[in-house]
Amino acid sequence: MGNRLVTNTRNDSETSGGGEGEKRERRELSRLCAESFTPFCSPSDGSVVKFNLPMDITIDRHTRNIFVSECYGNRVREMNNEGEMIRLIGNDQEDDEKRVNSPRGICISDSGRLYVCSTGNKRVQVYEVLTGRWLASLSTPSKPLCVCLSNEQDRLYVTMPFSNEVLSMGHDGQSTRLFAARLMFPSGIAINSRGDLIVGHTGKSKYAMIDCRSEQLIGCFGSSNSNGYSVNLTIDSFDRIISTGC
Protein backbone atom coordinates (compact mmCIF):
# COMPACT_ATOMS: atom_id res chain seq x y z
CA MET A 1 0.00 0.00 0.00
CA GLY A 2 1.12 3.56 -0.66
CA ASN A 3 2.45 5.76 2.11
CA ARG A 4 -0.20 7.89 3.73
CA LEU A 5 0.03 11.11 5.68
CA VAL A 6 -2.63 12.96 7.64
CA THR A 7 -3.71 16.58 7.72
CA ASN A 8 -5.39 18.59 10.45
CA THR A 9 -9.10 19.21 10.08
CA ARG A 10 -11.98 20.31 12.28
CA ASN A 11 -15.41 19.09 13.29
CA ASP A 12 -18.15 19.09 10.65
CA SER A 13 -21.74 18.24 11.53
CA GLU A 14 -24.78 17.22 9.54
CA THR A 15 -28.01 19.07 10.21
CA SER A 16 -31.45 18.95 8.65
CA GLY A 17 -33.82 21.76 7.83
CA GLY A 18 -33.06 25.44 8.06
CA GLY A 19 -32.99 25.92 11.83
CA GLU A 20 -30.45 27.44 14.16
CA GLY A 21 -28.22 24.35 13.96
CA GLU A 22 -27.76 24.78 10.23
CA LYS A 23 -27.13 28.52 10.59
CA ARG A 24 -24.45 27.87 13.24
CA GLU A 25 -22.87 25.24 11.00
CA ARG A 26 -22.72 27.64 8.06
CA ARG A 27 -21.15 30.37 10.19
CA GLU A 28 -18.59 27.93 11.58
CA LEU A 29 -17.72 26.50 8.17
CA SER A 30 -17.37 30.01 6.74
CA ARG A 31 -14.95 30.87 9.53
CA LEU A 32 -12.98 27.67 9.01
CA CYS A 33 -12.87 28.30 5.29
CA ALA A 34 -11.35 31.73 5.86
CA GLU A 35 -8.79 30.29 8.28
CA SER A 36 -7.84 27.37 6.07
CA PHE A 37 -6.22 29.23 3.18
CA THR A 38 -2.84 28.45 4.71
CA PRO A 39 0.54 27.95 3.00
CA PHE A 40 1.76 24.40 2.38
CA CYS A 41 5.20 24.96 0.85
CA SER A 42 7.07 27.26 -1.49
CA PRO A 43 7.70 25.86 -5.00
CA SER A 44 10.83 26.67 -6.96
CA ASP A 45 9.28 29.81 -8.48
CA GLY A 46 8.84 31.34 -5.04
CA SER A 47 5.04 31.25 -4.99
CA VAL A 48 3.11 29.87 -2.04
CA VAL A 49 0.65 27.02 -2.40
CA LYS A 50 -2.61 27.56 -0.52
CA PHE A 51 -5.47 25.15 0.08
CA ASN A 52 -9.19 25.65 0.50
CA LEU A 53 -9.94 23.66 3.70
CA PRO A 54 -7.57 20.67 3.23
CA MET A 55 -8.97 17.47 4.68
CA ASP A 56 -6.74 14.51 3.76
CA ILE A 57 -3.43 13.77 2.07
CA THR A 58 -1.85 10.73 0.46
CA ILE A 59 1.22 9.93 -1.66
CA ASP A 60 1.38 7.83 -4.81
CA ARG A 61 4.18 5.33 -4.11
CA HIS A 62 5.07 5.07 -7.82
CA THR A 63 5.42 8.74 -8.76
CA ARG A 64 5.85 10.13 -5.19
CA ASN A 65 3.33 12.82 -6.10
CA ILE A 66 1.20 14.30 -3.31
CA PHE A 67 -2.60 14.39 -3.39
CA VAL A 68 -4.62 16.68 -1.11
CA SER A 69 -8.41 16.83 -0.87
CA GLU A 70 -9.79 20.36 -0.55
CA CYS A 71 -13.26 20.33 0.97
CA TYR A 72 -14.26 23.88 0.10
CA GLY A 73 -12.40 23.79 -3.22
CA ASN A 74 -14.41 20.72 -4.33
CA ARG A 75 -11.29 19.15 -5.80
CA VAL A 76 -8.18 17.08 -5.18
CA ARG A 77 -4.88 18.81 -5.83
CA GLU A 78 -1.96 16.79 -7.21
CA MET A 79 1.55 18.18 -6.70
CA ASN A 80 5.12 17.00 -7.03
CA ASN A 81 7.33 16.88 -3.93
CA GLU A 82 8.46 20.47 -4.61
CA GLY A 83 4.89 21.70 -4.16
CA GLU A 84 4.41 22.45 -7.84
CA MET A 85 0.89 21.72 -8.99
CA ILE A 86 0.41 19.03 -11.60
CA ARG A 87 -3.36 19.03 -11.92
CA LEU A 88 -6.69 19.49 -10.18
CA ILE A 89 -8.90 16.41 -10.02
CA GLY A 90 -12.65 16.19 -9.56
CA ASN A 91 -13.53 19.77 -10.50
CA ASP A 92 -15.00 18.94 -13.94
CA GLN A 93 -17.42 21.77 -14.72
CA GLU A 94 -19.12 19.99 -17.60
CA ASP A 95 -20.31 16.78 -15.94
CA ASP A 96 -21.74 16.71 -12.41
CA GLU A 97 -21.29 12.93 -12.16
CA LYS A 98 -17.51 13.30 -12.46
CA ARG A 99 -17.18 16.05 -9.85
CA VAL A 100 -16.46 15.78 -6.15
CA ASN A 101 -18.56 17.63 -3.61
CA SER A 102 -16.96 18.51 -0.25
CA PRO A 103 -14.27 15.79 -0.57
CA ARG A 104 -12.82 14.34 2.63
CA GLY A 105 -10.88 11.08 2.83
CA ILE A 106 -8.72 9.84 -0.05
CA CYS A 107 -6.54 6.80 -0.78
CA ILE A 108 -4.61 5.33 -3.71
CA SER A 109 -4.50 1.68 -4.80
CA ASP A 110 -1.41 -0.17 -6.00
CA SER A 111 -3.04 -0.36 -9.44
CA GLY A 112 -3.12 3.45 -9.69
CA ARG A 113 -6.66 4.36 -8.74
CA LEU A 114 -7.51 7.36 -6.59
CA TYR A 115 -10.55 6.95 -4.33
CA VAL A 116 -12.19 10.12 -3.01
CA CYS A 117 -14.96 10.36 -0.40
CA SER A 118 -17.30 12.87 -2.02
CA THR A 119 -19.18 13.64 1.16
CA GLY A 120 -21.56 16.23 -0.25
CA ASN A 121 -23.20 13.91 -2.78
CA LYS A 122 -22.90 10.55 -0.99
CA ARG A 123 -20.46 8.73 -3.25
CA VAL A 124 -16.90 7.54 -3.59
CA GLN A 125 -15.40 8.89 -6.79
CA VAL A 126 -12.72 6.90 -8.61
CA TYR A 127 -10.04 8.49 -10.80
CA GLU A 128 -6.96 7.32 -12.68
CA VAL A 129 -3.87 8.54 -10.85
CA LEU A 130 -1.65 9.05 -13.91
CA THR A 131 -4.11 11.19 -15.86
CA GLY A 132 -6.75 12.36 -13.37
CA ARG A 133 -9.39 10.82 -15.62
CA TRP A 134 -12.71 9.94 -13.98
CA LEU A 135 -13.41 6.20 -13.92
CA ALA A 136 -16.47 5.51 -11.76
CA SER A 137 -18.88 6.67 -9.06
CA LEU A 138 -19.70 4.32 -6.17
CA SER A 139 -22.83 5.38 -4.30
CA THR A 140 -22.97 5.21 -0.51
CA PRO A 141 -26.17 5.11 1.60
CA SER A 142 -24.92 7.90 3.88
CA LYS A 143 -22.29 10.64 3.71
CA PRO A 144 -18.80 9.05 3.50
CA LEU A 145 -15.96 10.55 5.51
CA CYS A 146 -12.78 8.42 5.29
CA VAL A 147 -11.71 5.50 3.11
CA CYS A 148 -9.01 2.82 3.01
CA LEU A 149 -8.25 -0.30 1.00
CA SER A 150 -7.91 -3.87 2.25
CA ASN A 151 -4.39 -5.33 2.20
CA GLU A 152 -5.45 -7.48 -0.76
CA GLN A 153 -6.70 -4.30 -2.50
CA ASP A 154 -9.98 -6.05 -3.32
CA ARG A 155 -12.29 -4.05 -1.03
CA LEU A 156 -12.85 -0.51 0.14
CA TYR A 157 -13.80 0.36 3.69
CA VAL A 158 -15.65 3.62 4.15
CA THR A 159 -16.73 5.33 7.38
CA MET A 160 -20.20 6.87 7.42
CA PRO A 161 -20.33 8.86 10.68
CA PHE A 162 -23.85 10.22 10.32
CA SER A 163 -25.31 6.71 10.29
CA ASN A 164 -22.72 5.26 12.73
CA GLU A 165 -21.58 2.63 10.22
CA VAL A 166 -18.63 1.31 8.27
CA LEU A 167 -19.27 0.29 4.67
CA SER A 168 -17.48 -2.69 3.10
CA MET A 169 -17.53 -2.09 -0.65
CA GLY A 170 -16.28 -4.02 -3.70
CA HIS A 171 -14.88 -2.25 -6.75
CA ASP A 172 -18.19 -2.92 -8.51
CA GLY A 173 -20.01 -0.83 -5.93
CA GLN A 174 -21.65 -3.78 -4.18
CA SER A 175 -21.54 -3.07 -0.46
CA THR A 176 -22.32 -4.37 3.01
CA ARG A 177 -23.06 -2.21 6.04
CA LEU A 178 -21.12 -3.11 9.16
CA PHE A 179 -22.06 -2.51 12.80
CA ALA A 180 -25.13 -0.33 12.52
CA ALA A 181 -25.52 1.70 15.74
CA ARG A 182 -22.50 -0.02 17.36
CA LEU A 183 -20.01 2.72 16.55
CA MET A 184 -20.34 6.35 17.54
CA PHE A 185 -19.49 8.74 14.69
CA PRO A 186 -16.83 6.53 13.03
CA SER A 187 -14.26 8.67 11.27
CA GLY A 188 -10.58 7.82 10.66
CA ILE A 189 -9.96 4.33 9.26
CA ALA A 190 -6.89 2.20 8.39
CA ILE A 191 -5.72 -1.44 8.03
CA ASN A 192 -2.90 -3.01 10.06
CA SER A 193 -0.45 -5.66 8.81
CA ARG A 194 -2.71 -8.51 10.01
CA GLY A 195 -5.58 -7.19 7.96
CA ASP A 196 -7.54 -5.86 10.92
CA LEU A 197 -9.54 -2.70 10.38
CA ILE A 198 -8.93 0.10 12.90
CA VAL A 199 -11.67 2.72 13.18
CA GLY A 200 -11.58 5.91 15.23
CA HIS A 201 -14.87 6.89 16.86
CA THR A 202 -16.29 8.91 19.75
CA GLY A 203 -17.22 6.05 22.09
CA LYS A 204 -15.71 5.47 25.54
CA SER A 205 -12.92 3.59 23.77
CA LYS A 206 -11.21 5.68 21.12
CA TYR A 207 -10.66 2.90 18.55
CA ALA A 208 -12.58 -0.15 17.34
CA MET A 209 -10.87 -3.17 15.76
CA ILE A 210 -12.70 -5.19 13.10
CA ASP A 211 -11.69 -8.55 11.58
CA CYS A 212 -11.89 -7.87 7.84
CA ARG A 213 -12.16 -11.57 7.00
CA SER A 214 -15.23 -12.23 9.12
CA GLU A 215 -16.27 -8.54 9.20
CA GLN A 216 -16.91 -8.94 12.92
CA LEU A 217 -15.99 -6.59 15.74
CA ILE A 218 -12.93 -7.84 17.64
CA GLY A 219 -13.03 -5.21 20.37
CA CYS A 220 -12.40 -1.61 21.38
CA PHE A 221 -9.36 -0.03 23.00
CA GLY A 222 -7.79 3.30 23.89
CA SER A 223 -9.51 5.62 26.32
CA SER A 224 -11.14 8.79 25.07
CA ASN A 225 -10.74 11.67 27.52
CA SER A 226 -12.72 14.20 25.54
CA ASN A 227 -15.67 14.57 23.23
CA GLY A 228 -13.37 14.68 20.22
CA TYR A 229 -12.71 11.98 17.70
CA SER A 230 -9.95 10.67 15.43
CA VAL A 231 -10.38 12.66 12.24
CA ASN A 232 -7.66 11.02 10.14
CA LEU A 233 -5.89 7.81 10.97
CA THR A 234 -3.00 5.81 9.54
CA ILE A 235 -0.87 2.86 10.69
CA ASP A 236 2.91 2.69 10.27
CA SER A 237 5.08 -0.34 9.44
CA PHE A 238 5.26 -1.25 13.15
CA ASP A 239 1.43 -1.26 13.42
CA ARG A 240 1.47 1.91 15.49
CA ILE A 241 -1.61 4.10 15.14
CA ILE A 242 -1.06 7.73 14.11
CA SER A 243 -4.12 9.96 14.16
CA THR A 244 -5.22 13.56 14.26
CA GLY A 245 -7.94 14.48 16.73
CA CYS A 246 -10.71 16.99 16.73
Side-chain angles (χ1 to χ4, degrees), residues 90-140:
N91 64 335
D92 191 311
Q93 299 303 312
E94 303 298 325
D95 192 339
D96 180 67
E97 185 181 18
K98 299 178 181 179
R99 292 203 294 266
V100 295
N101 188 322
S102 302
R104 262 70 167 182
I106 57 177
C107 69
I108 294 176
S109 70
D110 291 342
S111 60
R113 290 189 172 195
L114 172 68
Y115 296 91
V116 183
C117 285
S118 186
T119 305
N121 50 10
K122 296 181 183 179
R123 64 184 66 168
V124 176
Q125 296 283 44
V126 188
Y127 301 92
E128 186 177 60
V129 168
L130 289 179
T131 64
R133 180 172 62 94
W134 175 83
L135 298 176
S137 285
L138 307 176
S139 297
T140 60

